[in-house]
Amino acid sequence: MKYNLIAIGILSAIILPFGKIATTINNDGFAHYQTFEAIKTGNANFLYLGQRITGYELVWLERMTGINIITLFMWFNYLVLIIGGIMTMIMIEKITKSKLAGILSMFVITFGTGAVTHLFWSGTIFNVMEMAVLLPLTILTFYLLIEKRNIKNFLFFIISAIILLLYHPTFGINTYSYIPTIRNATEGNSIGESIINPIAVIFILIGITNFTCFIIGIINIVKQEITLSQIITITSIILTAILFGVLAFTKITAFSSRMAMNLAIVINLLTVIFLGLILKNKESKSIITNSICISLLIVGIIPNLVQWVRS
């Protein structure tokens, strides 16, 4: 627990905008801000449940604290990243039984690809909430249900799954998303620009490192016994990756580039799970293999971490 708290403190120190003014109100974020302002006059048109819930909470907090809604929404954005790291850590540590993999996953989910940070700076914070907080929570409750089937775990899974489906259209029926063309002084990149942005190059490089660790993980897993709960959970995550892969490389949705980012996030989750299983492999305690996998993940984190600190 001590090391977990230290890791949370480090992640918070990196993410939270201490001593500087930062804002994520651009692109989709601008539309969210307009909706929150419209709540005050009773003319809000909500896109999905997550926006509605957050909007009313922020308006209430503005009235109670006197802090303007833009500032409150900014802090909400940063807190989502931290909560996402914590939720991912809990999920990975519970499934793999590896504390080191859990701690690393906090930084992998945030900086392991440019996907989360790019979605963050584009103002699509509810997509980040869906992929970094609610998806790991649902995976965790699913794993707990498979591991121990009882009413409590069943209810936890059903509730988390319903929230996952309704909070944001990533996993829901509604695929509509409003991205205004108006930009503010922050000049955030639009989702469509990601395919010609240098971030795309980082995606490819980090994808190669993740794939290498992924293959090493498979080779090691076949050499050891893993539980049925782990097998079923990993299979469900792989199916989720396939879903996003289909959406990313077809014309089913107009937001294929965003689906590609979601795919990158899911692959990162799989990579850290495989790392955790490698580290807990009792039959093959290969220092070289473990060091390679850990190093690859750290290398994958560095470019986006440096970019975040400099921003």
Side-chain angles (χ1 to χ4, degrees):
M1 179 62 71
K2 177 178 68 174
Y3 295 108
N4 297 81
L5 292 175
I6 292 174
I8 292 172
I10 294 173
L11 183 67
S12 300
I14 294 172
I15 290 178
L16 293 179
F18 295 114
K20 64 178 181 179
I21 299 175
T23 180
T24 57
I25 305 298
N26 53 54
N27 297 340
D28 276 19
F30 183 77
H32 297 317
Y33 170 67
Q34 287 182 315
T35 301
F36 300 155
E37 286 293 324
I39 291 175
K40 301 174 185 178
T41 59
N43 297 317
N45 293 316
F46 300 102
L47 297 178
Y48 37 80
L49 183 63
Q51 189 187 55
R52 179 187 293 269
I53 294 173
T54 304
Y56 279 109
E57 289 179 348
L58 293 179
V59 170
W60 179 80
L61 284 173
E62 183 182 44
R63 291 170 181 169
M64 295 296 294
T65 64
I67 302 173
N68 68 72
I69 204 163
I70 293 182
T71 302
L72 291 172
F73 187 46
M74 178 197 75
W75 283 104
F76 170 78
N77 277 248
Y78 285 103
L79 288 174
V80 165
L81 290 184
I82 296 174
I83 295 171
I86 296 172
M87 191 67 251
T88 302
M89 176 187 67
I90 295 172
M91 184 267 288
I92 295 296
E93 189 171 326
K94 187 68 177 180
I95 293 175
T96 66
K97 318 300 181 187
S98 170
K99 183 177 290 291
L100 178 57
I103 291 174
L104 278 175
S105 71
M106 293 182 62
F107 301 91
V108 171
I109 192 65
T110 309
F111 303 109
T113 72
V116 169
T117 52
H118 188 68
L119 288 171
F120 174 87
W121 289 117
S122 297
T124 55
I125 192 60
F126 296 105
N127 195 158
V128 176
M129 181 77 169
E130 185 90 340
M131 296 301 301
V133 179
L134 298 179
L135 178 60
L137 173 62
T138 304
I139 293 173
L140 175 61
T141 56
F142 178 70
Y143 172 78
L144 294 175
L145 175 62
I146 299 300
E147 191 174 53
K148 189 175 182 180
R149 290 178 287 278
N150 55 41
I151 296 296
K152 183 182 71 172
N153 288 342
F154 177 75
L155 290 175
F156 283 155
F157 169 67
I158 291 298
I159 292 171
S160 62
I162 290 174
I163 295 174
L164 180 72
L165 292 173
L166 296 180
Y167 188 84
H168 185 269
T170 299
F171 289 95
I173 298 175
N174 177 21
T175 58
Y176 174 80
S177 180
Y178 172 62
I179 305 179
T181 56
I182 300 175
R183 295 179 179 225
N184 68 351
T186 57
E187 289 295 324
N189 295 325
S190 70
I191 293 298
E193 290 175 345
S194 64
I195 57 175
I196 58 175
N197 193 285
I199 288 180
V201 178
I202 297 177
F203 280 179
I204 294 172
L205 294 175
I206 295 174
I208 293 172
T209 63
N210 277 343
F211 182 74
T212 305
C213 189
F214 193 83
I215 295 301
I216 294 174
I218 292 176
I219 294 173
N220 278 268
I221 285 173
V222 297
K223 296 179 181 179
Q224 66 171 319
E225 292 184 0
I226 60 176
T227 67
L228 179 62
S229 302
Q230 291 172 327
I231 293 174
I232 294 176
T233 303
I234 292 172
T235 301
S236 68
I237 300 174
I238 291 174
L239 291 174
T240 303
I242 293 174
L243 169 64
F244 283 128
V246 171
L247 294 174
F249 299 105
T250 64
K251 296 182 179 180
I252 295 176
T253 173
F255 300 95
S256 57
S257 58
R258 187 179 298 186
M259 294 301 106
M261 294 183 196
N262 292 340
L263 173 61
I265 295 169
V266 174
I267 290 176
N268 257 7
L269 291 176
L270 281 170
T271 303
V272 182
I273 288 177
F274 280 128
L275 172 64
L277 295 177
I278 292 170
L279 294 176
K280 298 302 289 186
N281 187 346
K282 297 180 180 179
E283 295 182 10
S284 176
K285 286 292 185 180
S286 172
I287 297 177
I288 295 178
T289 300
N290 294 349
S291 299
I292 289 174
C293 291
I294 294 173
S295 299
L296 287 173
L297 283 180
I298 293 175
V299 167
I301 292 170
I302 290 174
N304 295 296
L305 181 58
V306 171
Q307 186 181 44
W308 177 274
V309 173
R310 289 180 176 178
S311 63

